[in-house]
Amino acid sequence: MRNRLRTTTKWSMTTLTALLVAIWIGSAWWAVGIDHTPQFGAGVIGGQLSIGWFENMPFPPRNTEWKGPVSHDAPFRWWFHWQRSSYPAPVGSKHTQLSIPLWAIVLLVGLPTAYLWRRDRRRAPGLCPNCNYDLRANTTGICPECGHG
């Protein structure tokens, strides 16, 4: 049961990592976003996940609106970006935008995936499971390198 769970997790994370890499590369040419309300929106553009929201915005809510893939001229950003703007009265609202580079999300998912793949690597027969020392000629059953028995 444990091996099945690990295998399922490993392949799911591999698929997710590949999908995130494809989105990251594709975001250099295409943008996609969603406006949930006039106060909140999110999207992928220029190699980053951008999330923006307004505080004290006097607009009524509306239905979710998907903005499909469109060409864009946004710069490809490699770093985290935080921006906060204030608008004067009578609106009196504040706009906050957080941009997270997609490479950071790929790294966040990809490193544990690589660890799972490395952990499940099959060892050649006759090697110490602890340090990979060649035990084929060893008759004692105890590794002379690390003492693992």
Side-chain angles (χ1 to χ4, degrees):
M1 183 67 173
R2 214 171 200 177
N3 284 340
R4 180 184 289 174
L5 178 63
R6 189 176 334 157
T7 302
T8 303
T9 303
K10 182 170 60 173
W11 280 103
S12 299
M13 289 179 69
T14 301
T15 304
L16 179 61
T17 302
L19 181 64
L20 286 170
V21 167
I23 291 170
W24 178 31
I25 292 170
S27 71
W29 296 279
W30 298 93
V32 65
I34 181 173
D35 284 336
H36 181 60
T37 65
Q39 290 86 11
F40 176 79
V44 175
I45 185 169
Q48 58 190 335
L49 171 66
S50 290
I51 302 166
W53 62 92
F54 283 95
E55 298 168 19
N56 304 324
M57 187 59 116
F59 297 128
R62 66 175 184 222
N63 293 333
T64 300
E65 175 187 337
W66 282 95
K67 295 179 180 178
V70 294
S71 295
H72 66 83
D73 294 328
F76 204 81
R77 296 191 186 210
W78 292 94
W79 310 113
F80 292 88
H81 181 68
W82 177 271
Q83 178 179 346
R84 188 159 170 93
S85 308
S86 295
Y87 297 98
V91 176
S93 65
K94 294 183 172 123
H95 177 257
T96 305
Q97 182 175 351
L98 172 65
S99 297
I100 304 167
L102 287 173
W103 65 261
I105 299 171
V106 168
L107 200 64
L108 192 67
V109 175
L111 285 177
T113 304
Y115 172 75
L116 286 174
W117 279 99
R118 181 157 171 79
R119 181 177 174 197
D120 285 352
R121 227 177 46 200
R122 295 182 192 247
R123 299 191 188 281
L127 297 180
C128 174
N130 195 31
C131 68
N132 290 329
Y133 185 80
D134 189 358
L135 297 174
R136 286 180 284 194
N138 189 334
T139 56
T140 63
I142 297 174
C143 177
E145 276 293 311
C146 66
H148 187 269

